Amino acid sequence: MKSIIQTRLIHWKKQWLSLLFWLIFPIIASLLIINVTSLIQEDSKIPVGFVLEENTPMAEALLESVKDSPLIRVFEVTENQARDMIERHELDSAFIIKDGYEQQIHRGNRNKLITSYKSDLSFAYTPVSEMVVSYVQEDAGKAKAAHTVMHLAETLKTSEAVTFDEIISLSEEIQSREDLLRTTFSFNHGPSNGNDADITIWNVWGLWAIFSILSTLLLFDWVIKERNSSLVSRFSFIRFSYKSYLLQNLIFYTAVLLFVDSTAALVFHLHVGETINFRLVGAIISFRFICSMAAFLLALLFKNVYLFYGVSFAITLFLAINSGAVLPIEGLTGRFEWLEYLNPLHPFLHQEIWNSWLIILILILGIWFAKGGKLNA
Amino acid sequence: MLNVQAITKLYGDRLILDDISFSIQAGEIVGLVGENGAGKSTMLQLLATLSNPTKGNIFLDDLSYQKHKKNIRKQIGFVPQDIALWEEFTVEENMVFFEKLSWKNKTKQQLKQLCLDMELDKWQEPVNTLSGGMKRKLNLAISLIHDPKVLLLDEPTVGIDLKSRKEIGNYLKRQALEYNKIIVYTSHDMDEIITLCDRILCIGEDPFYKNILNETEKNIITF
Ligand SMILES: Nc1ncnc2c1ncn2[C@@H]1O[C@H](COP(=O)(O)OP(=O)(O)O)[C@@H](O)[C@H]1O
Ligand SMILES: [Mg+2]
């Protein structure tokens, strides 16, 4: 193995630039796309001003709820700033949470809690105000329920006195417990609910997987180049069988690519906040084996390296469209479920470590190596 | 001793070599001549274990080609007809590359000396900047890294200048004389064959080669 590595390093010394490019290409490309699209997304959000006249937990919770909305970008400003910005059309609309908001809610008073401004060009005022009002309603509703419970307790003269805060926190607890049940686990963004997943169609691991498939295919052009050359007869007079020479190179390539893959996990962890866990590591290793073996076996079928490049791009494009990692095409994969199983991205994105792709490729590679072929003559 | 016993080679239905037998002693240089397509390269491929005869067998010092292919390969240096080098590598890198894969370990100094022995002194230069003669020398040098007992060369001097041709010839002569190697090689240059070879094998029907050869005193085998 040491001598195989040494010979491979001589090759790499000659092509280090293109080698380096294709090794880091999946990391760079997926980060670039993620950043650009989140910038665009940020830009297309509706700018809305918020003025907090009081800093009570309830007022701040309201602000947080609005901030969580994927369609709104919240600017915290003063009332004067808000008016100026609306005049300059920098804000679509602004909402002022009046001093005494929490107190009024506790008292069950829902009127005049919030003042709003809108620009004369505002197109989002109505939906945004609806949303804000619904959050206020929610708070008010909880308050009303609490008052009702306390009133009941008083009239029934129970010994256990329940406070307003206890009821509110209990109702929030129940609400969040119910939310938990509906939480879908997402590979890419930690817990998030269904709506969020629809909005972020670009997920970094999905993009990375697509680009990795492309770069792995292109990196394995050495199989074609070396088998085509007039040098093949020389490989009959070396210590290794030709197949063993190829196989050891495949192993070395896979090891180096695995190292680059771990770098990707680290970079995504640091830059996009992706979590690293054992399942992810397992999925990456499995995906790497699949990609390397598939690229190697595919390259063995080709004589013309340019045809191989063409097919590599076509395969990548097909997988990108088919996988939904880039475009949500649930309509298509929903209708043809087998499409998903043909897609090697599918097990990776679902973190299935042992999958049919991996097992079938290992079998094919084993058969290729075991059968005494022309290559070995 | 290389012993060829009643070799027949067919490609499909086409008979290329028909019941050929001969033997070559250590220290001998044997030339293989014949018109294009006569089967010279085919014969060298058989001697190099790169293809199998349809009938017959070959022995190297009593080792059967059929049974001991791997062991026999270790003793064979095959110089292909086409230049088989990494074009973008330097001479050094080409030598080191194949030394790493070879049965024998050699130091860089030894590899360099091997090149110098055949007046190949461009150690650091990339192959694609070398002259044809230099490339042919390197093509030969790589095949010698594992110190093979048998040297099989397919047109090692085709298309190169006279000086390189002489240098390669002298080198082969020394290998046979000083190291007792068995050397078989093909060439279209009859003068070269006649001056260099101890014996000449003539393959094919063309009377032209036989007539030239008849004018020399060399030991000629025809089939
Ligand atoms: N792999 C092969 N399959 C079929 N025919 C071949 C093959 N290799 C060589 N031949 C044929 O065998 C004949 C001898 O070829 P070759 O040994 O290369 O001749 P030479 O080297 O004397 O010019 C040619 O007619 C060639 O077409
Ligand atoms: Mg020939």
Side-chain angles (χ1 to χ4, degrees):
Chain A
M1 194 69 202
K2 187 176 151 223
S3 44
I4 295 285
I5 294 172
Q6 287 170 322
T7 56
R8 186 50 50 186
L9 289 179
I10 301 180
H11 277 295
W12 285 358
K13 211 167 76 189
K14 300 287 152 188
Q15 337 151 327
W16 66 272
L17 199 63
S18 76
L19 178 77
L20 194 71
F21 174 80
W22 287 112
L23 285 179
I24 60 173
F25 166 73
I27 303 177
I28 303 289
S30 42
L31 275 185
L32 209 67
I33 290 182
I34 286 288
N35 283 334
V36 168
T37 51
S38 68
L39 270 184
I40 292 171
Q41 240 175 28
E42 201 59 28
D43 262 1
S44 61
K45 285 180 177 178
I46 304 162
V48 172
F50 255 81
V51 183
L52 279 192
E53 286 189 352
E54 66 165 37
N55 290 321
T56 56
M58 200 174 266
E60 271 168 15
L62 173 65
L63 180 62
E64 286 309 311
S65 312
V66 177
K67 272 186 184 167
D68 280 348
S69 159
L71 301 172
I72 294 180
R73 186 150 47 132
V74 171
F75 292 86
E76 275 185 75
V77 286
T78 66
E79 192 171 343
N80 285 337
Q81 282 174 325
R83 267 199 293 253
D84 283 351
M85 285 172 86
I86 281 178
E87 252 168 50
R88 287 189 308 241
H89 301 295
E90 283 168 19
L91 291 178
D92 179 271
S93 40
F95 297 83
I96 300 160
I97 299 169
K98 291 285 196 192
D99 198 11
Y101 172 77
E102 189 174 278
Q103 218 175 9
Q104 297 286 348
I105 290 272
H106 279 195
R107 287 198 195 128
N109 184 358
R110 287 192 215 175
N111 296 325
K112 304 224 169 107
L113 301 176
I114 290 178
T115 316
S116 59
Y117 297 96
K118 62 173 179 172
S119 104
D120 49 359
L121 293 177
S122 167
F123 59 94
Y125 173 74
T126 314
V128 175
S129 64
E130 288 292 335
M131 194 178 78
V132 173
V133 167
S134 79
Y135 287 130
V136 175
Q137 293 279 22
E138 204 179 298
D139 282 345
K142 274 185 243 164
K144 187 160 190 265
H147 280 296
T148 312
V149 172
M150 286 196 296
H151 183 68
L152 273 174
E154 230 166 73
T155 48
L156 297 173
K157 299 242 181 313
T158 57
S159 53
E160 287 170 54
V162 200
T163 66
F164 181 89
D165 285 342
E166 277 172 358
I167 294 166
I168 293 290
S169 72
L170 184 68
S171 74
E172 272 167 6
E173 196 190 309
I174 291 168
Q175 194 184 13
S176 73
R177 209 185 304 145
E178 284 180 354
D179 264 359
L180 259 182
L181 287 177
R182 269 185 275 122
T183 297
T184 48
F185 177 73
S186 144
F187 182 32
N188 311 292
H189 290 281
S192 69
N193 60 43
N195 286 339
D196 278 352
D198 277 349
I199 284 157
T200 52
I201 51 170
W202 304 99
N203 74 57
V204 75
W205 280 115
L207 290 167
W208 174 85
I210 291 280
F211 291 129
S212 280
I213 289 175
L214 180 65
S215 71
T216 310
L217 282 167
L218 297 183
L219 280 172
F220 273 80
D221 62 350
W222 61 270
V223 177
I224 301 168
K225 285 185 185 160
E226 286 175 27
R227 257 162 26 99
N228 268 358
S229 71
S230 53
L231 281 139
V232 167
S233 69
R234 292 219 180 271
F235 287 93
S236 298
F237 300 96
I238 59 171
R239 215 167 55 243
F240 311 97
S241 74
Y242 190 48
K243 277 185 181 176
S244 153
Y245 168 80
L246 290 177
L247 193 71
Q248 290 185 63
N249 270 293
L250 166 64
I251 293 168
F252 181 50
Y253 261 92
T254 307
V256 170
L257 285 164
L258 264 177
F259 172 76
V260 177
D261 296 345
S262 357
T263 313
L266 200 68
V267 169
F268 294 161
H269 176 66
L270 295 175
H271 280 271
V272 206
E274 292 294 329
T275 49
I276 300 177
N277 53 40
F278 279 118
R279 267 198 85 150
L280 174 68
V281 171
I284 289 176
I285 293 173
S286 164
F287 181 68
R288 169 52 53 212
F289 283 169
I290 291 174
C291 284
S292 291
M293 287 190 292
F296 177 78
L297 291 169
L298 186 74
L300 282 177
L301 300 177
F302 282 81
K303 282 212 149 68
N304 182 326
V305 76
Y306 295 101
L307 186 64
F308 176 73
Y309 293 151
V311 169
S312 300
F313 277 102
I315 288 174
T316 310
L317 195 65
F318 172 76
L319 292 178
I321 292 169
N322 178 15
S323 63
V326 174
L327 299 169
I329 50 150
E330 270 155 40
L332 187 64
T333 47
R335 227 174 305 151
F336 307 105
E337 254 179 41
W338 51 269
L339 264 181
E340 273 201 359
Y341 290 95
L342 281 182
N343 190 341
L345 276 171
H346 182 260
F348 173 64
L349 293 175
H350 290 79
Q351 289 189 312
E352 290 161 15
I353 292 166
W354 284 101
N355 58 70
S356 44
W357 271 91
L358 183 62
I359 293 161
I360 289 169
L361 284 170
I362 290 175
L363 283 178
I364 296 176
L365 193 69
I367 291 167
W368 167 80
F369 190 72
K371 87 170 176 18
K374 289 161 262 162
L375 271 174
N376 210 6
Chain B
M1 190 177 77
L2 194 63
N3 201 344
V4 176
Q5 294 183 352
I7 286 281
T8 296
K9 180 70 183 177
L10 289 155
Y11 277 127
D13 289 341
R14 266 188 69 204
L15 183 63
I16 309 293
L17 302 172
D18 185 13
D19 195 27
I20 291 180
S21 304
F22 59 90
S23 58
I24 305 173
Q25 304 297 324
E28 234 186 335
I29 302 184
V30 171
L32 214 52
V33 297
E35 75 269 17
N36 268 334
K40 304 181 295 293
S41 296
T42 305
M43 175 56 98
L44 282 183
Q45 300 252 327
L46 292 175
L47 294 177
T49 74
L50 293 175
S51 82
N52 298 319
T54 315
K55 264 199 304 203
N57 198 2
I58 306 172
F59 293 86
L60 176 61
D61 299 335
D62 299 329
L63 279 184
S64 154
Y65 267 48
Q66 274 167 11
K67 286 182 198 143
H68 302 99
K69 200 180 197 167
K70 271 205 184 121
N71 275 331
I72 284 175
R73 278 191 177 175
K74 286 185 202 173
Q75 308 184 51
I76 286 176
F78 178 71
V79 183
Q81 187 167 350
D82 301 314
I83 291 185
L85 305 170
W86 299 112
E87 285 283 330
E88 65 279 17
F89 288 13
T90 62
V91 172
E92 174 181 2
E93 285 161 343
N94 266 288
M95 291 296 279
V96 170
F97 184 96
F98 286 103
E99 184 271 335
K100 295 293 171 210
L101 302 177
S102 168
W103 291 282
K104 279 245 170 85
N105 288 325
K106 291 215 160 145
T107 63
K108 247 182 210 173
Q109 197 47 50
Q110 286 174 307
L111 293 174
K112 196 168 179 177
Q113 192 55 50
L114 181 55
C115 292
L116 288 175
D117 285 348
M118 53 185 89
E119 336 277 329
L120 170 53
D121 49 6
K122 304 235 155 69
W123 183 242
Q124 295 284 2
E125 263 151 73
V127 169
N128 48 29
T129 66
L130 295 182
S131 70
M134 290 292 174
K135 285 187 189 181
R136 284 283 166 193
K137 287 175 182 173
L138 181 56
N139 205 35
L140 171 58
I142 290 174
S143 310
L144 297 176
I145 290 172
H146 58 286
D147 296 328
K149 201 185 279 180
V150 180
L151 264 182
L152 306 168
L153 307 94
D154 203 349
E155 307 197 20
T157 56
V158 69
I160 60 171
D161 58 290
L162 193 61
K163 182 163 169 278
S164 302
R165 207 177 267 243
K166 285 267 183 270
E167 284 163 352
I168 290 179
N170 289 339
Y171 181 78
L172 291 179
K173 199 139 212 167
R174 278 208 309 279
Q175 288 289 307
L177 278 176
E178 292 170 22
Y179 302 100
N180 244 358
K181 306 226 160 160
I182 294 173
I183 298 176
V184 183
Y185 92 104
T186 70
S187 175
H188 283 289
D189 185 337
M190 291 308 280
D191 289 339
E192 182 184 293
I193 291 266
I194 289 167
T195 46
L196 212 58
C197 297
D198 304 308
R199 273 192 303 155
I200 299 164
L201 300 180
C202 187
I203 304 181
E205 311 293 306
D206 199 329
F208 174 77
Y209 291 93
K210 289 172 194 170
N211 290 339
I212 298 179
L213 294 168
N214 282 337
E215 292 163 17
T216 75
E217 289 98 57
K218 296 272 171 174
N219 182 355
I220 299 158
I221 311 166
T222 56
F223 301 100

